[in-house]
Each structure stands twice: as structure tokens, then as C-alpha cells.
Amino acid sequence: MTTEATTPEEVWRDPHAPVADRVRDLVARMTPQEKIAQLQGIWAGIDAAGEMAPHQHEFAVAPQDFDELTRHGIGQLTRVFGTRPIAPEVGARTLARTQRQIIEASRFGIPAVAHEECLTGLAAWQATVYPSPLCWGATFEPDLVRRMAARIGDSMRRLGIHQGLAPVLDVTRDLRWGRVEETIGEDPHLVGTTGAAYVEGLESAGIVATLKHFAGYSASRAGRNHAPVSMGPREFADVVLPPFEMALKAGARSVMNSYADNDGVPAAADPTLLTDRLRDEYGFTGTVVADYFSVAFLHKLHAVAAGREDAAAQALSAGIDVELPTVDCFGEPLLEGLYFNRVDVAVVDRALTRVLTQKIELGLLDPDYSPAPDANLDLDDAESRDLAREVAERSIVLLHNDGVLPLAGRRLAVLGPRADEPGAMMGCYSFPLHVGVHHPDVEMGVEVTTVLEALREDHDVVFARGCPVVGGTDDEIAEAVEAARQADVCVVVLGDKAGLFGNGTSGEGCDVADLKLPGRQEELLEAVLGTGMPVVLVLLSGRPYDLSRQADRLAAVVCGFYPGQEGGAALAAVLGGRVNPSGRLPVSFPGAGSSQPSTYLSPQLGRRTEVSTVDPTPLYPFGHGLSYAPATWVTAGCEEREWPTDGDCRVHVVVRNDMEIPTAEVVQIYLHDPVAEVARPVRQLIGAVKVDLAPGETRTVTARLHADLTSYTGRAGHRQVDPGDVELHVGTSSANIHTALKLTLTGPARRVGFGRTTTPEFTTSP
């Protein structure tokens, strides 16, 4: 901080004064240039970043004179670690030095907030790459995700980072969308409980969690990135918004807007979304940061702003507080608008107040603030790798098995383009695939065991790639067929190459027109099946694919999504039987003739009917997953038959492990509402819990369910709990129901809102 002496009048310097008083005092002292500077970010290393995204170098230019740009202060520093490969200790020293420059250059000496991506772990060189969000959802274990996020947050804090741009809370609506791999799943309850756990973990480490992308982004037309969204208010309220509500309650301190427009209004310019709903209805007091370049997009792409000044004014008025990743509209254009009274100073002060409040809460304005990093900067230690391995193992889903798994004493032909590729384990926001691909001369930074390498540790293996992810030759496929004939079992590892904007088959900007396996991979699979040898398909992908043409001929199907740097070892452990698979699908796999968009959250006429020739029934439904030792369901029941509209009911499920190896069951509770004001999903998840069972063990699961969990948005446009008959469907997937419990909600209809109960309480006992 500056060396000026603190005077009684300088309340903003007093760490013991109320935060609001400190902020008010500081705002009153600042010039327009100093105010606007706090609403800007700087991407100092953008020239070294490579072409990460379209329009990147159109809207973001590397600062030519850092001292000049920061002489009035600066709000945020963009991706000091996530722009180029840089050793953690070098990056930490660079960040500390930059913070000291910012402090010394400006009159008030206010440090910047440093932010980084952290979706699959901190997106920095030599940092552990954890499993992708689809894997988080597949675990059905929020506590495990909370532990993972806390560890990610700890690594960020030690480097001097303050804010993480995660989690993604978009609910999957169309599997063709490239960013499906960044989502947690297709169900708002699963996304909300898992995302809230991630928030709690990250925030427990002192890192500001940023909820993405508020709101509706994943419902773009035809699954095309940034495309318009056409969605009614009830779908928006009942599917899109609940995960954000749950994560805000969990303590998230920042929100990032969606790129898309909903019914013609871009989120970045929508005050009904960013102010009326987020601030007034939800009571959010943190910061809203612009998704990269989205303020400029109001002018350049959406054509709702006449220029950069107009874009800045609209975004600020709507409720965006900070322009990221670097200064553009919130620079000279905004200052000019203020000077000529075309921009209201009140909206600038409103955003500034939120920014300074957060900086004070982070301790950045305290006299003892120091940018010096932690001494321990090992970002890929044994504990982190062990946790990444645990998440991976608990997320792998066994979709089908005719008895060929687990593998034992078999000679294997390991085939396919993803079998011997370290990058096959990672999503597009992992550092190696997000940044490292632009620096091919630099090593990956973390050790990754491929599926082939892991299987070779315990099995006799012959390998042939067969084809790349996209492209390939007839000779390569013929080579794989010959290898298949030399083995007892074929393990075919297929899937996606994650990348950005056309540099992959999955990832941001990598949308698809259909759900066939990319390239010639289906042709390879058919050729191997043609040998008559048993085929185990392993999928490492960012989305489900249509396997309906091969499903009944495959000996087994295992889905890993993107299981992180420890995923190869985890998959080998599951295939070999050392780990009993316990993952469940967070997204459905499409069936033959299925159309998109389609998820299990459909009313009756959204399912198979006699009035349409298109059958949307999934091949593998949401919640599905098999085990080598299936649990025995002893009983399921409910204590009550009447359920007060303002009270609880209790569901009891008894499960037993009759097998000789440990197992796990995911008890899933779905709501079926036979009659409502609007067409509702036939079945919707309202609670789920994973139960571990030792050999011979019996456990009783008790779920305490509040009537708020039955609420929905009615014809009047508000969320309500109705009296009347409902059913609780208890089972092991959205399509496999063991017991249907009939109850009657009694009492008056109730209107509920943000403060409603959104999760059940689970207890387990012997």
C-alpha cells in the first residue's frame, strides 16, 4: 500500500471501520478516471496467448504502456498463469511484482483482483488436471466435488489468485452443443447440488467463485455456440435458473453473464436478468463480470448498441460491474460518455461500490496486504493426484456388460485413436488443451498415463490406433482388424479431441450437426465388430454419442467422459476389476432415431407417442449405471401418506450388498406430478445419494423431503406448491423405478421463491 499516513478522515484506510463506510469514503474521493479504472481488466500477456477465440485480437490489444494504463488503478488482471506456460514460482513472482507496480503507480494504491480459469483444476502449467464437470455429475457425490474444489482453491490462493471463473451451471439441453463437456448434466437438481458443492469448496479456500453463464446459454438454437435462445419463462425458471439459485445460496460471490440473447435481449444488456432477478429477487451483493468480450459483442455481434460507448452504458445499466478480459468499452468510450453526461455517474458508482466492497472483503485494501506468494508452490503434489484419481474412479460409468468385464487373464487388443493419447483425458479448459496446444515445443507439465499404458501394466496387449479422431486411411483400419484377431478381447477406445473453435470435435465453438462418432471411428468400430471378437467400447468424450447401431453387438460399454490426468489409471482399474464402477449418467445417451434437443425432462408428449414417428427414448437413460456387484433393494417406503404443503415427508430405502466385493448404489428419488396447471416432466429428480456398501452390509437411507421440492412455475408466472396427489418414484435411474410411492399434498397452495428449500436431507444408518 502507499506510504501516506492514515488520517482520521481517511475512513477507507481503516480496516476496523464498516465496509460500507470505507467504500463510501473512497468512492467520494475518486476522479472519473480512477472510478472507471476499477471497472476494467488488463490482459497483459494476450500477445503470447495464441488465437484462443475468434475476435480476440479485434477487441483485446496488449497494453503498450503498462504504467500509463495503471496510473489510475486497475480492477482485474486476466490470466497471469493461464495465458502461456510459466513455472508456478515464476508466475507467482510476476504476479506479485505486477501488483506492486499497480500499487505504486496509482494514487490510492489499490491492488487488482487476479482471476483464472479453474474448471478442471487451475488452468496453469504444472497444475493437476482434474476430471471434467460431466465426471463431477457422474459421481453423484457433492462432498467429493467439494473436496476437489477446496484443493483447487488452495492452489490458487497460494499463487496470489483471488477469483476463479467456475463453475459452469448451464444445464445440458442439446447434446450437439460443443460446451456440453463443461456442463455437469441435463438435470437442474444434479447440476445445482454439484455446482453448489464446488462453490462451497472454492470459497472455503478464500477464492471468489464465479457462476457461468447467467443464463440460458446452453439452450441456444440447434446447439450452436452463441446462437439465439428461444425459451419460455417457465422452462427458464424451472430448468435454467435453479442451479444458479442453489449456488448463490452456497456463497458464490461473482456471476458471469451468458453470451446469448434470449428472445432478442442479450444477457449482457438485460437489466431484468442482471438486476431485477439477480439483485432484487435473489439478493445478490457480489460482482457481475462480463464474459470475455461480451460487452463489445453488444455492438459488434448482437447489433443492439450503436457503438462502444452505447455498449458500455447498456452493460453497466443492466448490471455488469467489470469488463473482461481487458479494457475496451469500459475505457475511453465510457469516460467520454461520462464527460458529456450521456452515461449516468450513478451506474458507474453502483458498479464501483460492488468492486471495492469485494476488494475490501478480500483484504486487498488492508494496511498489511502483501502480494508475496506462498512458499509452497507445488501444484501437482501426491495428494492432489490421489484426489484426481478418486474423482475419476468414482465417475466412470459402466453402461453395458455381458460378463466380459472385469478383464482377467485375457490377451487384449487395445485399439482406437484415444487409447494412447494423453490429451484424450482432458477437456478444452484444461491447461494442456486450452493453452499448451499453442506451445508445442513445451512439455505438457503433468504426467498422464494413457489407457494403453495403464492396461499394459496388468495385461498382455497388442495395440493399433486404427484411425485418428478425424480422418484416417483404410490401411490403418485394416491394421486394427488384424490386431483384433490376435486377441481374446478387443478394448476399443474412441471419443473426442477437445479443443476450441474448430480445433477439436468437442469444446467451446466445436458444435456438431449430428451425434455420430467423429470421423471414421464408427467405421473402425464396425470393422472390429466384424471380426467376431468380444468388443469392449471405452468412450472418452465431451458428449454422449449415438451408439444404437452397435449397442446390441458390444460386449461392454464404459464411459469416462474426460476423467483428467489420472483417468487412464482409473479406467484400467475399473476394466480390470480392482475398482467396482459406481458412476451414473448425468446425461442420457441418444437412442436410434432420437432427435435433438431432447433430455429426460419431458412431459408426456415429449416422449414416445403414437402421434409421431420419431422415438426420443434414450439408449442409456439419465441416472443409468451398472456395477460388478449390484446392490439388493430390500424395501422402499414412506412414513406418511399425507404431505403438508409447508412440511416434510420421509422416504426410507433399505439396500444390501449380497456380493463378496464392495459396491455402491445411487438411490434416486424422482417426482411425478399427475395433474398440474402446466405440462410438467413425467419424472424429475428431486434427490439422490450414493451409498457405499461393504460385502454383506445393509444400510437404510432416509430422505427428508420438503414440499418445496414439488414446486414449479404455474400459469401466473410464479413458483408454487399445489395441494393434490403426487408420486415419488424411487429407483436406480430415470427409467428404472423400483417403487412408486403415492402421497397427497395437503393444505393451502403456497407461493415460494428464492428462499425455498431446494435440497433434501439424507441420512444413512446400518
Side-chain angles (χ1 to χ4, degrees), residues 453-525:
E453 291 168 342
L455 286 174
R456 275 180 169 158
E457 293 181 6
D458 298 306
H459 302 275
D460 182 12
V461 171
V462 58
F463 168 69
R465 186 179 69 161
C467 66
V469 172
V470 176
T473 66
D474 293 346
D475 288 345
E476 287 181 292
I477 293 177
E479 181 185 358
V481 168
E482 180 58 31
R485 292 194 174 108
Q486 300 176 34
D488 301 320
V489 176
C490 303
V491 178
V492 184
V493 189
L494 306 179
D496 282 311
K497 173 188 175 184
L500 292 168
F501 302 103
N503 292 317
T505 60
S506 170
E508 185 173 0
C510 296
D511 314 314
V512 295
D514 60 52
L515 295 175
K516 295 180 181 178
L517 284 163
R520 301 184 69 177
Q521 292 184 79
E522 184 172 351
E523 186 180 346
L524 170 65
L525 183 58

Side-chain angles (χ1 to χ4, degrees), residues 2-250:
T2 59
T3 58
E4 299 176 32
T6 301
T7 67
E9 294 78 17
E10 291 179 309
V11 178
W12 72 274
R13 294 182 183 275
D14 183 2
H16 304 294
V19 172
D21 292 347
R22 296 179 69 185
V23 171
R24 192 179 303 110
D25 179 59
L26 185 52
V27 170
R29 297 173 184 272
M30 299 177 82
T31 66
Q33 292 92 336
E34 289 167 335
K35 291 180 177 182
I36 290 174
Q38 291 298 317
L39 312 185
Q40 303 169 352
I42 293 180
W43 195 351
I46 187 172
D47 283 345
E51 189 66 35
M52 288 184 178
H55 308 289
Q56 173 180 309
H57 294 292
E58 178 182 353
F59 298 131
V61 179
Q64 301 301 310
D65 188 337
F66 189 83
D67 289 339
E68 175 62 24
L69 193 59
T70 60
R71 68 188 180 94
H72 297 297
I74 199 68
Q76 292 225 4
L77 289 171
T78 293
R79 307 202 63 185
V80 173
F81 297 87
T83 296
R84 62 194 184 283
I86 182 171
E89 60 275 10
V90 174
R93 289 198 301 268
T94 299
L95 176 55
R97 183 173 63 250
T98 302
Q99 290 283 31
R100 285 192 288 269
Q101 286 179 263
I102 292 170
I103 291 169
E104 293 167 2
S106 57
R107 185 162 64 107
F108 295 104
I110 302 172
V113 168
H115 74 259
E116 283 292 353
E117 299 286 357
C118 56
L119 190 64
T120 58
L122 173 60
W125 194 52
Q126 299 182 342
T128 301
V129 180
Y130 290 89
S132 67
L134 281 177
C135 296
W136 312 351
T139 67
F140 275 76
E141 292 185 81
D143 287 344
L144 182 57
V145 173
R146 185 181 295 108
R147 285 169 48 208
M148 178 192 71
R151 193 151 195 94
I152 294 169
D154 177 70
S155 67
M156 298 172 76
R157 188 192 66 251
R158 287 186 277 121
L159 292 171
I161 301 168
H162 309 104
Q163 182 166 359
L165 303 187
V168 170
L169 297 179
D170 298 301
V171 178
T172 303
R173 303 300 286 162
D174 190 327
L175 295 174
R176 295 172 296 182
W177 191 45
R179 303 190 80 167
V180 166
E181 66 168 69
E182 297 177 51
T183 72
I184 295 169
E186 68 182 57
D187 177 83
H189 182 81
L190 178 65
V191 174
T193 53
T194 309
Y198 183 96
V199 166
E200 290 170 350
L202 203 65
E203 291 278 357
S204 72
I207 301 299
V208 176
T210 308
L211 311 183
K212 299 158 63 171
H213 304 85
F214 194 67
Y217 185 30
S218 58
S220 58
R221 292 178 192 162
R224 295 179 62 248
N225 197 37
H226 290 213
V229 172
S230 300
M231 178 181 290
R234 273 174 285 278
E235 182 182 0
F236 194 71
D238 291 353
V239 176
V240 170
L241 292 179
F244 290 96
E245 296 176 80
M246 296 164 75
L248 288 170
K249 291 177 185 177

Side-chain angles (χ1 to χ4, degrees), residues 170 213-218 229 256-261 266-268 291 294:
D170 298 301
H213 304 85
F214 194 67
Y217 185 30
S218 58
V229 172
M256 178 177 277
N257 66 283
S258 163
Y259 281 121
D261 70 76
D291 204 344
S294 62

Side-chain angles (χ1 to χ4, degrees), residues 399-475:
L399 298 177
H400 166 69
N401 185 22
D402 68 1
V404 71
L405 295 181
L407 301 169
R410 316 277 185 92
R411 177 171 169 79
L412 305 180
V414 179
L415 314 169
R418 302 285 83 190
D420 196 29
E421 172 52 55
M425 305 296 165
M426 305 176 193
C428 77
Y429 267 79
S430 65
F431 185 89
L433 299 189
H434 197 75
V435 179
V437 292
H438 300 291
H439 303 271
D441 56 325
V442 179
E443 62 183 19
M444 184 173 285
V446 291
E447 292 186 9
V448 181
T449 301
T450 68
V451 175
L452 174 65
E453 291 168 342
L455 286 174
R456 275 180 169 158
E457 293 181 6
D458 298 306
H459 302 275
D460 182 12
V461 171
V462 58
F463 168 69
R465 186 179 69 161
C467 66
V469 172
V470 176
T473 66
D474 293 346
D475 288 345

